Amino acid sequence: MTDRFDKSRLPSRHVSVGPERAPHRSYYYAMGLSEEEIARPFVALASAGNDSAPCNTTLDAQADAARKGVESNGGMPRRFNTITVTDGIAMGHQGMKSSLVSREVIADSVELSVRGHCYDALVGFAGCDKSLPGMMMAMLRLNIPSIFVYGGSILPGRYQDRDVTVVDVFEVVGKFAAGTCPISEVHALEKVACPGHGACGGQYTANTMACVGEAIGLSLPNSNMVPAPYTSREQIAVAAGYQVMELLERNIRPRDICTREAFVNAARIVAATGGSTNAALHLPAMASEAGIEFDLFDVAEVFKSTPYAADLKPGGKYVAKDMYEAGGVYMLMKSMLANGLLHGECMTVTGKTLGENIDQVTWNPDQKVIYDVKTPITPTGGVVGLRGSLAPDGAIVKVAGMARLQFEGPARCFDCEEDAFAAVEARSIAEGEVVVIRYEGPKGGPGMREMLSTTAALYGLGMGEKVALITDGRFSGATRGFCIGHVGPEAAEGGPIALVEDGDTIRIDLNTRRCDMLVEADEIVRRKGDGLPEVPASNTPWEQLAREKTGQLGEGAVLEFALDYRQTSKTLPRHNH
């Protein structure tokens, strides 16, 4: 078994080879390993499994299943866990400030465990929004042979003869506040919307980043859309454990796979599926780990020329299970590659190129979820980037499923999400207004909270298409409607969004990709002279760190003290000590 691998050249030699490592080996004997097993390459199985939410509850079992694949192909599996913050539970209160920061903690913790124990390869299992990019960021940072495995999505719930997701529950809160449904309907829906294990079923952040995993080449083909409860997820985990040993033997590493062209492929899949606007944060953050320049405007440029071709919720009709049954991510990529929208030469974890993998797929003309990109749902992507006097450093909006692409109205300003949500519940938001929620950016929040509770409540009130919402915070991948997020510079850094006053006219034009405040220049100068509101004091060390050190939105909102490393990481030695 071990003849294939020269352990003297692998990181694990530092904990298992030579007389001086006898104390280290004694720990492995304590765990029941034999001398032959200690001589094998050590493979990390990093799991974001926990009991925090159904997104994560199957991950440990999947990681354990991967042991079989690693062992059968000459490796020694070593499982460990990392944290998650689950947005569906953190949503709408101060807990959401922990969400984006958790991405960095996940990446850091996986890196520390792999480096500390000198593992030779990595299979990462994640199920909830920030754990997916966090796990892939760690892979790119470590640059050891790695495979990413998504835990799978939840199956849709059923209510009154229709499929439902957790978003329906968020929206029924608004209906109840509007007096258009009884509390009994709220209770009935909340009990059936999430029928078991898995991440949120629509094309929200988790499923968007799961599609990214396949498109960028870090996941096995057609593995990530398989729902969490399906028994075939165990087979996928075993296959990932087996295949990572092939990557180790051939020395194929994440930065060999995730080139700039691969990031373009990933951005194309986000747009083509009407995916989460959060991908515009996560792709630049992942790229920075590989020393690749790929910021918000690079993402937005790809979005411009990408047709919207997968009819997925929240803008469309179907959920991840339906996409899986229609043929999965590779079915969509089949049409995209045939029409020149993908770089087929990019390497993947199969050891073959993306084009070679796609060649194994036969187009299914009978399914209804995935459109041929020659006849898409709309000719341009489901997500677009904006610029303008209100967003000189950019903003992002999901347009999938939207009929109206222009909006102009008076601003209604709030300096935190709670105040905006209270106004929605009190039904004091007027039709035609542009709701501005600021001081919710990466530094101002801190933590760049998502606004799903507010946007969903607006839909529940029947106001979803009648108002616009602009924020320097984020939106959930489940958000739909005229909702513009990631406005930069953020208010806490003195961006124009901090200077908007109630009644100012805001104009949004998604055709020209503009977001402007129609205020005279001399008036802007006057307002700047008045100074900005004081940002509240931080409550925890992490809040203070996020306030002081979080980088620009367009570069992924990663922590600034790590940027020097990330920007030069292509020249750093690989993880072999």
Side-chain angles (χ1 to χ4, degrees):
M1 281 282 198
T2 57
D3 290 346
R4 294 163 54 202
F5 304 101
D6 181 359
K7 187 122 175 180
S8 69
R9 300 176 62 85
L10 295 177
S12 61
R13 71 185 185 275
H14 295 294
V15 296
S16 61
V17 175
E20 69 279 13
R21 302 308 178 195
H24 306 70
R25 288 193 295 274
S26 71
Y27 280 56
Y28 293 107
Y29 287 121
M31 291 183 280
L33 272 64
S34 68
E35 185 174 350
E36 187 273 333
E37 289 170 329
I38 294 171
R40 296 180 176 199
F42 289 169
V43 177
L45 304 178
S47 169
N50 54 52
D51 294 339
S52 299
C55 334
N56 311 312
T57 46
T58 68
L59 296 176
D60 286 352
Q62 292 186 47
D64 284 339
R67 294 177 190 270
K68 301 172 191 173
V70 173
E71 290 170 347
S72 69
N73 205 11
M76 179 43 53
R78 303 282 86 198
R79 203 197 89 192
F80 65 88
N81 285 63
T82 185
I83 68 155
T84 60
V85 173
T86 297
D87 290 3
I89 292 175
M91 194 75 66
H93 54 86
Q94 294 294 303
M96 181 50 77
K97 291 184 177 183
S98 302
S99 173
L100 186 58
V101 172
S102 76
R103 182 190 69 184
E104 314 304 309
V105 175
I106 291 163
D108 292 347
S109 64
V110 172
E111 177 201 3
L112 291 173
S113 190
V114 170
R115 286 192 185 277
H117 300 104
C118 299
Y119 294 137
D120 303 314
L122 169 63
V123 184
F125 296 80
C128 197
D129 296 1
K130 307 308 168 295
S131 58
L132 280 79
M135 195 69 73
M136 289 187 275
M137 286 165 68
M139 292 174 177
L140 286 160
R141 187 184 304 176
L142 289 161
N143 203 31
I144 58 174
S146 302
I147 294 180
F148 173 73
V149 181
Y150 178 45
S153 73
I154 200 169
L155 296 172
R158 293 290 292 177
Y159 181 72
Q160 294 181 343
D161 238 12
R162 62 187 175 93
D163 283 352
V164 292
T165 71
V166 70
V167 177
D168 295 278
V169 187
F170 276 99
E171 292 183 4
V172 81
V173 172
K175 291 181 182 178
F176 175 70
T180 58
C181 79
I183 191 65
S184 60
E185 183 174 334
V186 178
H187 290 329
L189 186 55
E190 71 182 69
K191 289 178 180 178
V192 300
C194 300
H197 302 292
C200 300
Q203 193 64 349
Y204 314 145
T205 303
N207 282 324
T208 297
M209 296 309 295
C211 290
V212 163
E214 291 194 38
I216 210 165
L218 286 176
S219 297
L220 294 173
N222 278 334
S223 60
N224 287 348
M225 289 295 101
V226 180
Y230 285 19
T231 56
S232 52
R233 290 234 58 93
E234 180 177 346
Q235 297 162 15
I236 291 165
V238 173
Y242 185 94
Q243 182 60 26
V244 82
M245 299 304 298
E246 298 294 304
L247 296 180
L248 183 60
E249 183 175 23
R250 294 179 57 182
N251 197 27
I252 297 174
R253 304 179 183 231
R255 293 184 210 164
D256 301 324
I257 291 167
C258 297
T259 60
R260 195 178 194 284
E261 290 74 19
F263 278 95
V264 170
N265 289 344
R268 288 232 186 264
I269 287 297
V270 173
T273 59
S276 170
T277 54
N278 285 313
L281 270 181
H282 301 324
L283 287 175
M286 289 168 58
S288 73
E289 298 289 357
I292 294 171
E293 292 184 7
F294 194 72
D295 63 15
L296 171 63
F297 294 113
D298 294 313
V299 174
E301 195 61 33
V302 176
F303 288 171
K304 275 186 192 178
S305 58
T306 308
Y308 170 41
D311 193 9
L312 299 169
K313 288 178 179 286
K317 301 174 186 174
Y318 300 103
V319 295
K321 174 186 77 76
D322 302 314
M323 187 168 183
Y324 163 64
E325 291 173 350
V329 180
Y330 267 78
M331 186 63 63
L332 174 58
M333 292 198 294
K334 179 81 172 179
S335 174
M336 295 177 74
L337 182 65
N339 288 275
L341 290 171
L342 293 176
H343 294 281
E345 75 282 3
C346 293
M347 179 57 65
T348 73
V349 292
T350 63
K352 300 177 182 177
T353 65
L354 187 72
E356 288 172 325
N357 292 342
I358 290 172
D359 283 344
Q360 305 303 309
V361 176
T362 301
W363 175 257
N364 177 6
D366 299 323
Q367 53 81 30
K368 298 178 180 179
V369 181
I370 302 163
Y371 287 58
D372 189 317
V373 296
K374 293 196 293 271
T375 54
I377 301 167
T378 58
T380 55
V383 185
V384 300
L386 307 175
R387 251 181 169 156
S389 62
L390 188 55
D393 284 356
I396 203 87
V397 59
K398 178 185 285 194
V399 298
M402 288 175 59
R404 182 179 182 180
L405 298 179
Q406 295 170 314
F407 199 104
E408 184 173 316
R412 180 78 180 280
C413 300
F414 302 92
D415 288 347
C416 68
E417 185 197 9
E418 285 85 352
D419 291 349
F421 184 74
V424 172
E425 279 202 311
R427 306 186 70 182
S428 68
I429 303 294
E431 182 177 335
E433 286 186 326
V434 179
V435 178
V436 178
I437 306 177
R438 58 198 174 190
Y439 296 99
E440 289 288 6
K443 293 186 177 181
M448 203 180 182
R449 290 193 290 176
E450 292 183 351
M451 307 292 155
L452 179 60
S453 292
T454 301
T455 58
L458 282 167
Y459 262 89
L461 286 169
M463 297 283 283
E465 304 289 343
K466 298 174 182 177
V467 299
L469 199 154
I470 295 176
T471 181
D472 54 4
R474 295 183 294 128
F475 291 114
S476 165
T479 293
R480 56 195 175 110
F482 234 107
C483 297
I484 291 125
H486 304 201
V487 170
E490 62 174 294
E493 293 199 306
I497 192 172
L499 304 174
V500 181
E501 294 183 357
D502 286 348
D504 287 347
T505 299
I506 305 294
R507 179 183 294 159
I508 307 158
D509 190 332
L510 303 185
N511 292 313
T512 60
R513 293 174 169 78
R514 297 282 304 180
C515 181
D516 295 294
M517 53 188 293
L518 306 186
V519 178
E520 295 294 333
D522 57 351
E523 174 61 13
I524 294 291
V525 172
R526 185 195 67 76
R527 292 180 189 179
K528 284 182 179 177
D530 291 342
L532 300 174
E534 212 171 289
V535 177
S538 299
N539 296 313
T540 71
W542 262 110
E543 284 194 6
Q544 189 62 27
L545 181 66
R547 259 203 187 122
E548 293 177 356
K549 299 297 184 182
T550 301
Q552 295 299 307
L553 281 171
E555 296 174 349
V558 296
L559 296 177
E560 284 180 329
F561 58 74
L563 282 177
D564 287 344
Y565 157 73
R566 286 165 171 160
Q567 288 168 358
T568 60
S569 59
K570 284 172 78 172
T571 64
L572 293 176
R574 290 172 165 172
H575 172 51
N576 58 15
H577 303 289

